[in-house]
Amino acid sequence: EFEEARKWVANDLVFDKNVDVNLFESTIRILGGLLSTYHLSGDSLFLEKAKDIGNRLMPAFKTPSKIPYSDVNIGRGTAHPPRWTSDSTVAEVTSIQLEFRELSRLTGDEKFQKAVDEVMKHVHTLSGKNDGLVPMFINTNSGQFTHLGVYTLGARADSYYEYLLKQWIQGGKKENELLEDYMRAIEGVKKHLLQRSEPKKLTFVGELAHGHFSAKMDHLVCFLPGTLALGAHNGLAADHMKLAETLLETCYQMYAQVETGLSPEIVHFNLHAQKGHKDVEIKPADRHNLLRPETVESLFYMYRFTGDKKYQDWGWEILQNFNRYTRVPTGGYTSINNVQNPSNPEPRDKMESFFLGETLKYMFLLFSDDIDLINLDKYVFNTEAHPLPIWVPA
Ligand code: DMJ
């Protein structure tokens, strides 16, 4: 299968196309995937292709503030923001660093690393943060945060936090500003976003909008237990591990309390006990499941670091429910519209690439006891589950 895929990359993966792509999605999926495959196979074809796509993505950084645009035309070498705004998403501009830094290290061409390091340095100094928590948008002209006052660990901010820690690990734990920003942010989460639900008293991460707490949590936030555990494994505060355990129980309950045993995209937690109500409430617009990886990803990290078999058991339950409700008899899996209806979950006929890239990969790793199957002291996973080497392994 690998040889077949290699042939496809050699002959059919051509980037000289007049097409707009999203900088972040292309970096984490294509560039990250190629770099990782280069490391795991040693085959220079993948590095050549990585260089090609890396160069084609660089025009995104030609903005007045050097905060990159969201979209690039990889054939024409032009870049632009979305039609309706000159803002970029904070998570997007701060979660391309692992890949571009690695590309510089491998090619000896520092321009890739320079461009993404500059973004991090700039964001480090920006005002508009709330105890280390960042807003969701940043303007490509002014370089300032916009839509101030809304803080989430979910969509549009999530992987900012993940990449602070992972860049620090990638670079051999020397870049203190990254660590400072990460530690401050986790304190910010504890101070502003943590609450407990009723009746089970599950600790969850909500959102803050202009001083008002909302008990809303995206499934995306379930990356956090895994990231906290990875930080604790790398010598950061032991209470991060405790928090990781508590939050992962909550993420598991986002599956277990639902009719199909699959989590919806977004849940709202009950802050007050009401007869007949569970902790988790689901709004009609939020009851889809896109086969996302975050909970399984965190289960993998926690199993690796604790050896507690309950994490494997939870992952197995989730896998069985994916098989029951999302598997397509003729091949593949599909997103579904309704996790609350086991008799008709409403298949969408769409399988996101992260189901193979992340969800199934983390399942595979979760069910293995071999710590050298991607040793976490030698590799750091990018946010699309592609392992990249730690520059100075522990
Ligand atoms: C993936 O593309 C990445 O994990 C990203 O950081 C968040 N969204 C999806 C998976 O849910």
Side-chain angles (χ1 to χ4, degrees):
E1 282 174 12
F2 177 74
E3 282 310 323
E4 203 183 320
R6 186 198 183 278
K7 216 181 280 164
W8 182 84
V9 171
N11 302 327
D12 301 304
L13 182 59
V14 176
F15 295 125
D16 190 11
K17 292 214 167 117
N18 179 7
V19 59
D20 278 349
V21 303
N22 175 282
L23 169 69
F24 162 73
E25 299 291 359
S26 307
T27 301
I28 65 172
R29 298 179 196 221
I30 305 171
L31 179 56
L34 289 166
L35 289 171
S36 192
T37 311
Y38 168 66
H39 277 291
L40 297 175
S41 68
D43 184 336
S44 60
L45 165 73
F46 298 100
L47 180 56
E48 285 311 309
K49 291 283 176 184
K51 236 189 281 177
D52 186 14
I53 187 68
N55 274 311
R56 290 172 187 278
L57 293 173
M58 285 305 282
F61 294 90
K62 276 193 219 132
T63 71
S65 65
K66 301 205 180 140
I67 297 298
Y69 289 133
S70 59
D71 296 282
V72 198
N73 186 305
I74 51 172
R76 290 199 178 145
T78 53
H80 59 88
R83 245 175 316 216
W84 58 91
T85 174
S86 53
D87 290 348
S88 286
T89 293
V90 170
E92 293 194 357
V93 302
T94 56
S95 314
I96 49 181
Q97 279 65 16
L98 290 177
E99 299 80 0
F100 278 92
R101 284 157 48 115
E102 178 59 9
L103 187 57
S104 275
R105 199 181 67 102
L106 289 173
T107 59
D109 186 343
E110 62 182 19
K111 73 174 177 215
F112 305 110
Q113 168 147 17
K114 250 180 109 194
V116 294
D117 279 353
E118 222 165 293
V119 175
M120 291 315 294
K121 287 215 172 73
H122 176 76
V123 170
H124 175 73
T125 61
L126 273 188
S127 59
K129 289 182 204 158
N130 187 1
D131 290 315
L133 303 176
V134 289
M136 295 147 82
F137 296 98
I138 184 163
N139 190 270
T140 50
N141 294 320
S142 67
Q144 300 297 310
F145 288 129
T146 65
H147 302 83
L148 299 182
V150 182
Y151 303 98
T152 174
L153 265 271
R156 297 188 184 276
D158 49 358
S159 44
Y160 161 73
Y161 303 99
E162 177 188 344
Y163 267 36
L164 286 175
L165 178 74
K166 289 184 172 176
Q167 286 176 82
W168 177 72
I169 293 172
Q170 177 191 44
K173 306 190 196 175
K174 289 196 290 257
E175 295 152 290
N176 291 334
E177 287 184 356
L178 294 166
L179 179 62
E180 265 168 42
D181 287 351
Y182 176 73
M183 293 302 281
R184 202 169 294 150
I186 301 305
E187 288 311 304
V189 169
K190 288 193 216 159
K191 184 164 166 198
H192 299 288
L193 302 183
L194 287 189
Q195 288 269 3
R196 294 174 87 191
S197 66
E198 293 293 343
K200 283 201 160 167
K201 307 210 182 302
L202 304 173
T203 300
F204 68 93
V205 184
E207 299 186 354
L208 195 66
H210 311 292
H212 294 286
F213 180 80
S214 155
K216 162 178 179 272
M217 179 164 156
D218 294 352
H219 182 272
L220 287 169
V221 180
C222 290
F223 81 92
L224 187 61
T227 296
L228 287 168
L230 181 65
H233 175 74
N234 279 279
L236 305 186
D239 72 318
H240 285 198
M241 195 61 182
K242 194 78 221 115
L243 181 58
E245 259 170 50
T246 322
L247 288 175
L248 190 47
E249 163 81 42
T250 305
C251 290
Y252 169 64
Q253 290 297 330
M254 286 163 64
Y255 287 70
Q257 294 198 5
V258 181
E259 287 82 344
T260 54
L262 292 174
S263 171
E265 179 72 358
I266 300 170
V267 301
H268 287 77
F269 285 94
N270 283 315
L271 291 173
H272 307 286
Q274 289 176 68
K275 218 170 154 213
H277 284 253
K278 297 181 180 156
D279 300 72
V280 166
E281 300 279 353
I282 306 168
K283 305 221 188 275
D286 304 333
R287 57 190 186 202
H288 47 291
N289 178 297
L290 305 185
L291 312 170
R292 287 199 190 275
E294 291 76 18
T295 296
V296 180
E297 170 184 351
S298 287
L299 289 172
F300 156 64
Y301 282 105
M302 286 299 280
Y303 181 65
R304 254 304 157 88
F305 297 139
T306 66
D308 187 337
K309 296 252 184 245
K310 87 174 171 205
Y311 298 119
Q312 284 187 323
D313 293 342
W314 292 353
W316 185 247
E317 252 176 59
I318 293 172
L319 179 60
Q320 282 179 320
N321 291 324
F322 275 132
N323 280 333
R324 211 166 278 142
Y325 298 108
T326 72
R327 193 165 181 167
V328 179
T330 49
Y333 288 72
T334 177
S335 302
I336 55 174
N337 281 333
N338 191 352
V339 293
Q340 294 182 292
N341 189 352
S343 57
N344 180 16
E346 298 174 37
R348 274 192 182 176
D349 194 17
K350 183 174 182 181
M351 186 177 84
E352 296 280 349
S353 71
F354 53 66
F355 183 65
L356 297 176
E358 297 196 68
T359 314
L360 290 187
K361 189 188 291 164
Y362 284 127
M363 289 275 189
F364 182 75
L365 291 166
L366 168 65
F367 300 135
S368 166
D369 283 320
D370 180 2
I371 65 157
D372 285 319
L373 189 60
I374 310 298
N375 186 314
L376 291 173
D377 294 321
K378 297 193 178 121
Y379 289 95
V380 62
F381 283 95
N382 86 339
T383 193
E384 199 67 13
H386 299 304
L388 298 172
I390 294 172
W391 295 342
V392 195

